C-alpha cells in the first residue's frame, strides 16, 4: 500500500512540475518586452509619421509594452523621461534625441541599470559610443548635397550658373543632426560658389508657425531673394504663406525657388502644383527597424551599430499623382 501511495505522490509531483513548466512557458510567452520611447515632440508632419511608425511597430501584438513620452521639443523632458524609464526598469530605452549633445550622464545611468539604449533619427555625440547599442536614421549630409546638386543643375539649365544668387536659409532646431548636416551641405556649396550668398539664416525650429513669423519679418525688410533652402516641409509651408502675403512669386518659372526636406504628402502635393521645386525625402518609418533591432538583441545577436535608411528626392518633373496618393504620410 505504502509503495502505491509513494507512486501516486511521485506522479502528482511530476504533473505539477509539468504544469508549472507550461505556466512559466506561457507566462514567458506572454511576457511583453517593455520599451521606453522618448520622442522629440510633435513639431512636424514628419515627427507625427515617425511616432505613428514607432507605436505601430512596438505594439502588444508584436510582443511589446510601449511606454511613450512626448518631450514637447525640450531636452530636459527627454532626460526626465529616460530617468523615469530607468526607475520603471524597462527592458530597452529608445531615444529620438532633440539635439546631439547632453546625453553622456543619463546614458551612463541607463548602462548602470543594464538597460540597452537605441537611438533613432538624429544622432548623439557622446564620449563613449558604447553608451548606446545601435542607431537608425538618415544621412542628412547626403540629403543636403542632393538639394545642392539639384540647384546647381537647375541654374545651369536656366543659364544662370555663376550668376549672383541670394539664398534665404531656414534652419531646423539648433544642434539637431538634421540641422547641422543639411546646413553644412549648403555652407559647403556657398564656399564652392562665391557668387552664392546666404542673405539670412532663420531659426525656424522645424515648425510652420515659427518659420512664417521669421520669413514674414525678413520679407518686410524688402530684401530680394532667389532661393529658399528650408530644412523641413513645415517650415516651407510657413515660408510660402509669408511669400504669398508679400505678393512674391515662388515655385514656378522666374519665382523664388523653394527647396524643402522631408517630402511629406502635403509637400509632394505642393511640388506637384509647382509651389515647391524640390522635396528631398527623409524617411520617418523607423518603427519596423527598431522592433527588429530589439528582437535581435532578445535573441542574443549583436545588431549593426548604425543603420541608414534609403531615401530619394522629388521635383515637379518627376512627381505623379500616383506617387503623391500612395504616400502613407
Ligand atoms: C529629420 C528629423 C527632422 C525632420 C523634421 O530626421 O529629425 O525633425 O526633418 C523633424 O520635420 O521635426
Ligand atoms: Zn558657381
Amino acid at each position: 500500500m505504502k509503495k502505491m501511495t509513494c507512486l501516486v505522490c511521485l506522479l502528482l509531483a511530476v504533473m505539477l512540475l509539468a504544469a508549472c513548466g507550461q505556466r512559466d512557458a506561457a507566462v514567458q510567452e506572454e511576457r511583453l518586452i517593455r520599451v521606453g520611447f522618448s520622442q522629440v515632440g510633435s513639431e512636424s508632419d514628419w515627427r507625427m509619421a515617425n511616432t505613428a511608425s514607432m507605436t505601430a511597430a512596438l505594439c502588444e501584438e508584436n510582443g511589446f509594452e510601449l511606454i511613450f513620452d512626448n518631450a514637447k521639443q525640450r531636452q530636459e523632458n527627454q532626460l526626465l523621461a529616460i530617468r523615469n524609464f530607468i526607475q520603471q526598469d524597462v527592458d530597452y530605452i529608445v531615444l529620438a534625441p532633440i539635439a546631439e549633445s547632453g546625453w553622456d550622464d543619463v546614458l551612463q545611468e541607463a548602462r548602470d541599470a543594464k538597460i540597452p539604449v537605441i537611438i533613432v533619427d538624429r544622432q548623439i555625440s557622446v564620449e563613449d559610443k558604447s553608451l548606446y547599442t545601435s542607431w537608425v536614421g538618415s544621412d542628412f549630409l547626403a540629403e543636403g548635397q542632393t538639394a545642392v546638386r539639384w540647384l546647381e543643375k537647375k541654374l545651369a539649365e536656366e543659364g544662370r550658373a555663376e550668376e549672383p544668387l541670394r539664398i534665404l536659409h531656414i534652419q531646423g532646431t539648433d544642434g539637431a543632426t538634421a540641422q547641422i548636416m543639411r546646413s553644412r551641405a549648403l555652407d559647403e556649396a556657398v564656399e564652392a560658389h562665391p557668387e552664392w550668398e546666404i542673405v539670412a539664416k532663420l531659426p525656424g525650429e522645424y515648425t510652420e508657425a515659427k518659420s512664417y513669423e521669421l520669413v514674414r519679418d525678413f520679407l518686410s525688410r524688402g530684401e530680394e531673394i532667389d532661393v529658399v533652402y528650408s530644412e523641413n516641409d513645415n517650415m516651407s509651408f510657413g515660408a510660402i504663406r509669408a511669400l504669398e502675403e508679400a505678393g512674391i512669386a515662388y515655385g514656378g518659372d522666374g519665382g523664388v525657388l523653394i527647396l524643402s526636406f522631408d517630402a511629406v504628402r502635403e509637400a509632394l502635393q505642393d511640388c506637384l502644383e509647382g509651389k515647391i521645386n524640390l522635396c528631398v525625402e527623409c524617411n520617418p518609418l523607423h518603427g519596423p527597424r527598431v522592433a527588429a533591432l530589439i528582437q535581435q538583441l532578445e535573441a542574443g545577436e549583436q545588431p549593426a551599430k548604425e543603420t541608414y535608411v534609403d531615401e530619394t528626392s522629388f521635383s515637379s518633373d518627376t512627381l505623379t499623382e500616383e506617387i503623391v496618393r500612395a504616400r502613407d504620410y
Side-chain angles (χ1 to χ4, degrees), residues 22 34 57 64 83 103 152 172-173 186-187 195 213 236 238 249 264 278 281 291 300 323 328:
Q22 268 158 10
R34 299 177 66 236
F64 295 96
R83 290 186 167 110
W103 306 102
E152 288 168 335
T173 302
L186 181 62
D187 291 340
E195 73 281 6
E213 281 167 28
S236 303
V264 296
L278 179 73
E281 183 180 43
I323 294 174
D328 47 16

Side-chain angles (χ1 to χ4, degrees), residues 92-112:
Y92 297 90
I93 290 172
V94 178
L95 169 64
I98 184 165
E100 292 198 347
S101 57
W103 306 102
D104 299 78
D105 295 346
V106 77
L107 293 193
Q108 184 56 54
E109 292 164 34
R111 174 151 64 185
D112 295 346

Side-chain angles (χ1 to χ4, degrees), residues 161-163 192-196:
E162 308 318 314
E163 277 184 15
H193 294 280
E195 73 281 6
W196 291 11

Side-chain angles (χ1 to χ4, degrees), residues 112-327:
D112 295 346
K114 297 190 179 15
I115 302 174
V117 176
I118 293 171
I119 309 294
V120 288
D121 182 23
R122 306 168 189 176
Q123 299 203 356
I124 59 173
S125 58
V126 284
E127 284 295 307
D128 175 358
K129 276 186 171 290
S130 69
L131 281 174
Y132 66 95
T133 303
S134 203
W135 167 83
V136 184
S138 303
D139 183 340
F140 301 109
L141 183 62
E143 292 174 0
Q145 290 164 342
T146 296
V148 165
R149 271 201 314 275
W150 178 89
L151 181 56
E152 288 168 335
K153 186 166 172 286
K154 175 78 174 171
L155 294 171
E157 283 164 359
E158 294 183 348
R160 296 167 63 190
E162 308 318 314
E163 277 184 15
L165 197 75
R166 295 156 300 188
I167 302 164
L168 180 59
H169 182 187
I170 311 174
Q171 295 183 296
T173 302
D174 190 44
T177 314
Q179 176 273 312
I180 294 167
M181 291 304 182
R182 290 170 186 166
S183 292
R184 179 176 303 172
L186 181 62
D187 291 340
E188 288 173 351
V190 171
E191 278 285 301
H193 294 280
E195 73 281 6
W196 291 11
E197 179 201 358
I198 296 177
V199 296
K201 285 179 180 279
L202 305 177
E205 291 170 11
Y206 293 123
T207 70
E208 179 172 347
K210 189 78 189 297
S211 169
Y212 164 69
E213 281 167 28
L214 293 169
V215 175
R216 178 198 60 197
D217 297 351
F218 171 82
L219 294 175
S220 67
R221 301 201 289 268
E223 265 196 76
E224 302 259 310
I225 54 173
D226 304 299
V227 178
V228 171
Y229 183 96
S230 169
E231 293 180 359
N232 91 328
D233 293 334
N234 294 79
M235 296 192 295
S236 303
F237 302 153
I240 284 171
R241 196 148 51 99
L243 285 163
E244 283 180 348
E245 282 179 5
I248 296 171
Y250 63 88
D253 298 335
V256 174
L257 295 174
I258 299 193
L259 283 59
S260 189
F261 292 86
D262 284 351
V264 296
R265 189 190 298 115
E266 189 181 336
L268 293 184
Q269 187 57 40
D270 281 354
C271 193
L272 201 62
E273 293 168 10
K275 293 182 177 176
I276 292 178
N277 297 82
L278 179 73
C279 289
V280 180
E281 183 180 43
C282 179
N283 184 338
L285 307 178
H286 298 325
R289 284 181 192 80
V290 171
L293 280 175
I294 292 175
Q295 295 296 6
Q296 271 186 288
L297 291 165
E298 285 287 294
E301 295 160 25
Q302 189 52 42
K305 186 75 177 178
E306 291 189 339
T307 306
Y308 285 89
V309 293
D310 299 329
E311 297 170 337
T312 180
S313 63
F314 306 90
S315 62
S316 28
D317 49 24
T318 58
L319 255 185
T320 63
E321 287 279 355
E322 292 66 41
I323 294 174
V324 179
R325 236 198 323 275
R327 201 73 173 163

Side-chain angles (χ1 to χ4, degrees), residues 3-19:
K3 261 196 180 153
M4 183 54 88
T5 322
C6 291
L7 200 60
V8 168
C9 292
L10 190 65
L11 211 58
L12 276 173
V14 168
M15 282 167 65
L16 202 63
L17 271 173

